Amino acid sequence: MALYNNETVSVITPVYNVAKFIDKTLLSMVSQAYKDLEIILVDDCSKDNSAEIISRWTVKYPNIVYHKQEKNQGAAVARNTALNIAKGRYVAFLDSDDLWCDGKLEKQIAFIDNVLFQVTGNCNLRCQYCCYGDMYSDKVEKKNLSFETVETVLNYLMSLWTSNKNLSYEHPIRIGFYGGEPLVNFSLIEKIVSLCESITERTGLVFIYSMTTNALLLDRYKDFIVRHNFSLLISMDGNEAHNVLRIKPDGEQSFQTVYENVKKLQQQYPDYFQNKVEFNSVLNSHSSVDDIHDFIFNEFGKIPLIETISHTALSDEQKYQEIAKDYKESPEMMIKRKDRSPVYKELGFFFYYQLDNAYKHYCEVLYGTIKQKKRIPTGTCLPFFKKMFVTADNKLLTCERISLHHVLGTVDNEVHLNFGEIASIYNSYYEKMRSQCRGCYLIENCGECFLQFPLKNGVPVCHVKMNEIQYQHYLSEIFGVLEKNPSLFEEVNKMVFA
């Protein structure tokens, strides 16, 4: 299976007094699975024997290019010098005291334990805030994902899951079903589950299933869903008045049908409902956080996820302003909602990042806290770190919550993933984000994803950067909540952040 296009990636590495590290750094680069690399080292007038060490490498590896600056001007100028030298179509950045692990992205994919299939782009609702609707620039093809594509993706992943690159072999793999409305293409869901069962018989891999549904067809397929123990996320915005933006293609309201179907599931399978069903609600101009929470909790005994209408890839600002609403909840409601409350979670993140009273990585448990560490700009997940999203039109993305413009691969009769190109894309974005992150007072606990930022001239534009005054207000709000609810300090510190 061809994984790479034969296109050069230029790896740019500034050099300054790195004699202790440069051997290992260069070894990590030349050991990569992707071989079409041009390695450019720009020496910013090192005072140690870095140049002597590098010269031994240039003799052995003609793809290593060494350039020495006339005077010391800093790493940023060194990178720009290297960009002028670079001949590759793609560019990646690596500091001279950093290491690239062999086949980093390929190993990352081998660890994927969450594959989300957009089984169809079709939907039996016309929600006014749908991220694929008229209010957004992202448009999904109204087509079904083919079973052949699913087979190709799973066969590709299976070769990695069962290899020595996967160090979590016995960890369950979640197969998710997404739409449109996934139950519109239920026949494909059946086939995928059957395929996964056959893979389990052959390899011992364990699969679990999840689905997001509007529940219009839930009554028809609930027996299958329960039998296979799906984790089910039901989209319901609260009571009938809150759901007025979720309409059928003929203009009729959907609430009554959905409510009855969900109630049937709850009554027929109470244990399953208690353990495997959750709710997701979209806050809009017809609802409030308190009202949505109270309705879902009183009717179904569940604390719903409540999200605001997305601003990612927005094309109709006026319509957005008409139907969107900011997330606001009473202090009492925050206590009720706990980690489903963004304020409660913000407290948790603040403690996690600022108080230094938690381990952030297994390595800290084994080797102690690293006092000085480099930080990747923003809180954006590394590519395929958490999941792989396969769209109905055979595109590969890292997540369903980002713009469809951020395609990292495609599928036809084989999987096309150019790891060098992906690394170059992300490194390019990181470089562009550094200047925005510099000086931001939230940099230590940023959880923002730049793939959700609007693009301006191809550069993601952060909308949450904080200066000193804004950060002071932020701290005042955090401590204000704690002063009014002192018991939260101990409670929130028990939260676990994956």
Side-chain angles (χ1 to χ4, degrees):
M1 181 178 295
L3 298 181
Y4 310 114
N5 295 322
N6 187 25
E7 295 178 334
T8 301
V9 176
S10 295
V11 183
I12 290 175
T13 300
V15 171
Y16 184 72
N17 293 345
V18 291
K20 292 181 180 179
F21 314 108
I22 194 65
D23 271 327
K24 290 183 178 179
T25 300
L26 288 170
L27 179 62
S28 76
M29 284 193 272
V30 299
S31 300
Q32 289 295 303
Y34 190 79
K35 295 301 183 185
D36 194 0
L37 298 176
E38 176 192 40
I39 300 169
I40 304 174
L41 306 170
V42 176
D43 190 341
D44 200 29
C45 298
S46 295
K47 296 177 181 178
D48 62 5
N49 64 330
S50 295
E52 179 185 341
I53 296 170
I54 292 169
S55 66
R56 295 199 294 266
W57 286 86
T58 56
V59 171
K60 187 174 181 181
Y61 295 95
N63 61 322
I64 296 178
V65 178
Y66 175 76
H67 174 86
K68 186 167 184 175
Q69 301 280 68
E70 293 182 0
K71 61 180 179 179
N72 181 278
Q73 300 175 79
V77 174
R79 290 190 185 97
N80 287 330
T81 299
L83 284 170
N84 292 328
I85 297 172
K87 298 177 182 178
R89 179 177 177 184
Y90 306 107
V91 174
F93 296 90
L94 185 72
D95 285 349
S96 50
D97 56 352
D98 286 346
L99 302 178
W100 270 3
C101 294
D102 180 29
K104 165 66 176 169
L105 281 173
E106 193 169 18
K107 289 182 178 179
Q108 194 105 320
I109 292 176
F111 296 155
I112 284 178
D113 60 0
N114 192 343
V115 184
L116 185 61
F117 291 107
Q118 184 184 39
V119 293
T120 182
N122 294 302
C123 188
N124 48 5
L125 283 183
R126 298 295 180 267
C127 300
Q128 292 187 36
Y129 52 71
C130 175
C131 60
Y132 302 133
D134 295 337
M135 203 165 73
Y136 297 92
S137 59
D138 275 350
K139 302 299 177 189
V140 64
E141 289 192 38
K142 306 298 183 184
K143 61 183 291 187
N144 290 338
L145 182 68
S146 72
F147 181 64
E148 290 72 25
T149 295
V150 174
E151 278 190 307
T152 300
V153 170
L154 288 182
N155 284 335
Y156 167 72
L157 291 173
M158 187 170 62
S159 68
L160 293 170
W161 285 332
T162 57
S163 73
N164 58 9
K165 296 182 177 70
N166 182 7
L167 303 181
S168 302
Y169 185 83
E170 295 182 359
H171 193 71
I173 298 163
R174 180 178 296 275
I175 301 296
F177 303 107
Y178 192 74
E181 167 50 44
L183 289 178
V184 168
N185 193 14
F186 176 73
S187 61
L188 179 60
I189 295 174
E190 277 188 308
K191 291 179 181 178
I192 294 174
V193 170
S194 178
L195 174 60
C196 290
E197 290 175 340
S198 69
I199 292 174
T200 298
E201 291 177 3
R202 299 197 311 270
T203 66
L205 292 169
V206 177
F207 295 94
I208 56 178
Y209 308 102
S210 64
M211 181 166 62
T212 301
T213 178
N214 62 34
L216 273 179
L217 299 174
L218 182 60
D219 186 49
R220 191 181 304 177
Y221 302 118
K222 63 180 182 296
D223 295 338
F224 178 90
I225 291 169
V226 173
R227 186 165 66 252
H228 292 281
N229 206 31
F230 275 45
S231 294
L232 198 64
L233 183 63
I234 296 174
S235 299
M236 178 186 282
D237 290 349
N239 64 27
E240 189 163 10
H242 306 148
N243 272 268
V244 294
L245 301 181
R246 299 179 65 82
I247 56 178
K248 297 178 182 179
D250 60 8
E252 289 187 11
Q253 291 296 317
S254 64
F255 174 79
Q256 198 58 42
T257 304
V258 171
Y259 178 82
E260 291 174 0
N261 285 346
V262 176
K263 273 296 180 185
K264 288 177 183 176
L265 179 67
Q266 184 183 29
Q267 292 162 3
Q268 188 173 346
Y269 299 105
D271 291 340
Y272 168 83
F273 192 91
Q274 178 63 33
N275 296 319
K276 303 297 290 187
V277 175
E278 297 292 345
F279 287 81
N280 184 69
S281 304
V282 177
L283 182 65
N284 60 73
S285 57
H286 301 276
S287 61
S288 70
V289 171
D290 289 36
D291 288 343
I292 293 172
H293 173 95
D294 288 343
F295 177 81
I296 300 291
F297 186 79
N298 292 337
E299 287 290 333
F300 305 107
K302 298 287 184 176
I303 299 176
L305 297 161
I306 300 177
E307 57 184 17
T308 56
I309 296 175
S310 174
H311 205 273
T312 302
L314 185 69
S315 62
D316 190 339
E317 183 70 34
Q318 182 177 347
K319 180 65 176 177
Y320 173 85
Q321 294 298 334
E322 290 174 5
I323 65 174
K325 193 171 189 176
D326 292 335
Y327 189 103
K328 294 179 181 179
E329 63 188 357
S330 64
E332 296 76 19
M333 184 55 65
M334 180 191 68
I335 302 299
K336 289 181 182 178
R337 290 181 54 71
K338 295 195 175 181
D339 61 351
R340 296 287 169 93
S341 160
V343 178
Y344 193 99
K345 289 183 74 173
E346 187 64 35
L347 285 171
F349 277 114
F350 179 79
F351 295 154
Y352 177 72
Y353 285 108
Q354 302 295 339
L355 298 189
D356 204 24
N357 63 345
Y359 292 115
K360 300 175 179 62
H361 195 279
Y362 289 118
C363 290
E364 292 186 7
V365 180
L366 297 172
Y367 306 115
T369 303
I370 302 170
K371 292 182 179 179
Q372 292 185 341
K373 52 191 173 186
K374 299 201 173 185
R375 181 172 299 282
I376 296 175
T378 76
T380 309
C381 298
L382 296 175
F384 305 118
F385 178 68
K386 290 187 175 180
K387 69 173 70 168
M388 176 182 285
F389 179 44
V390 185
T391 69
D393 54 351
N394 297 0
K395 295 184 175 74
L396 300 176
L397 289 83
T398 61
C399 177
E400 79 282 9
R401 301 180 71 85
I402 63 174
S403 170
L404 294 177
H405 297 113
H406 298 293
V407 176
L408 295 184
T410 58
V411 187
D412 42 39
N413 60 342
E414 61 184 53
V415 171
H416 299 278
L417 284 172
N418 185 323
F419 299 142
E421 179 180 347
I422 293 169
S424 175
I425 290 170
Y426 269 68
N427 285 333
S428 174
Y429 276 136
Y430 288 140
E431 284 299 307
K432 292 171 182 176
M433 290 305 302
R434 285 185 197 279
S435 59
Q436 296 182 60
C437 296
R438 194 175 298 120
C440 175
Y441 278 71
L442 273 181
I443 191 169
E444 290 296 322
N445 58 324
C446 178
E448 298 295 320
C449 172
F450 60 62
L451 299 178
Q452 294 180 325
F453 292 167
L455 295 175
K456 184 176 181 180
N457 299 323
V459 180
V461 179
C462 178
H463 56 281
V464 295
K465 182 175 180 177
M466 280 193 188
N467 58 30
E468 184 177 3
I469 301 299
Q470 291 169 324
Y471 189 64
Q472 287 173 355
H473 287 306
Y474 166 75
L475 291 179
S476 177
E477 290 176 3
I478 292 287
F479 293 127
V481 172
L482 290 172
E483 286 172 355
K484 293 176 182 176
N485 307 276
S487 63
L488 280 179
F489 180 82
E490 206 166 309
E491 192 173 330
V492 171
N493 264 289
K494 294 176 182 176
M495 291 174 65
V496 175
F497 290 83

